[in-house]
Amino acid sequence: MGTPVLRLERLRADHAEAVLAFEAENREYFARSVPDRGDAYFTPAGFAGRHHALLAEQDAGDCHFHLVLDEEGTILGRINLMDAAAGTAELGYRIGERAAGKGVATAAVGELCRVAGTSYGLVSLWARTTADNSASRTVLERNGFELTEQITLMGRPGVRYARVGLGG
């Protein structure tokens, strides 16, 4: 299996409907590994407010939110850089169930590492996951992240990874 063909697209206001549909379609799948966003998130008003807040954070330069899209423009996942400051940010991502296990997360993280250095001027990233999430740990390790510490995450054993040297 080769590298999936995908593109990252910076989050925009006109993405709201498609993002809500993606989140609703994958709600049960995501809830198996991360806390559910709650019913209010999935209401039109609740989602619109949250989407607007994310765009405001992005406009302020604090965060960089992206959609992971296939060749047809279908959302496969979301990948974000949060709390960008002093040359570093936290990486977070979620890939929908239909695209899981197909190399999408690995390719998307690799592309965002490049974009983080070339477009956002970041020099390092860090990420957290639960210790038992071997798929996420593999994605990070394949993209040059190194385990830095054991942590508690959502009340469970977790790990923190870091990557220094981005771009190119």
Side-chain angles (χ1 to χ4, degrees):
M1 176 173 73
T3 302
V5 176
L6 57 83
R7 73 178 192 276
L8 302 185
E9 197 166 283
R10 196 163 164 87
L11 188 66
R12 301 185 314 255
D14 65 331
H15 286 134
E17 187 177 325
V19 172
L20 178 56
F22 168 79
E23 290 291 340
E25 175 185 328
N26 288 285
R27 183 177 184 180
E28 260 185 52
Y29 175 67
F30 292 145
R32 290 182 215 151
S33 58
V34 295
D36 185 66
R37 294 183 185 273
D39 291 339
Y41 176 88
F42 294 93
T43 66
F47 184 81
R50 179 69 182 133
H51 193 73
H52 180 74
L54 292 177
L55 293 172
E57 285 182 82
Q58 183 167 266
D59 289 345
D62 299 329
C63 299
H64 306 284
F65 302 106
H66 303 83
L67 301 181
V68 180
L69 305 170
D70 68 11
E71 293 174 291
E72 289 80 38
T74 302
I75 299 175
L76 302 175
R78 299 173 72 179
I79 188 164
N80 309 310
L81 298 171
M82 288 87 59
D83 302 326
T88 192
E90 179 182 5
L91 169 70
Y93 55 90
R94 55 176 47 205
I95 302 301
E97 187 171 21
R98 287 186 290 137
K102 298 178 180 173
V104 172
T106 299
V109 169
E111 177 62 10
L112 192 58
C113 286
R114 187 191 65 73
V115 169
T118 59
S119 297
Y120 305 136
L122 299 173
V123 295
S124 67
L125 299 177
W126 62 277
R128 301 174 293 176
T129 188
T130 54
D132 63 354
N133 189 338
S134 61
S136 189
R137 294 181 71 168
T138 298
V139 165
L140 294 170
E141 291 166 5
R142 285 182 178 163
N143 278 287
F145 283 77
E146 295 183 6
L147 179 65
T148 59
E149 66 181 314
Q150 305 290 321
I151 60 172
T152 300
L153 186 61
M154 300 176 294
R156 297 168 49 193
V159 289
R160 180 178 160 131
Y161 282 82
R163 175 171 167 183
V164 177
L166 304 172

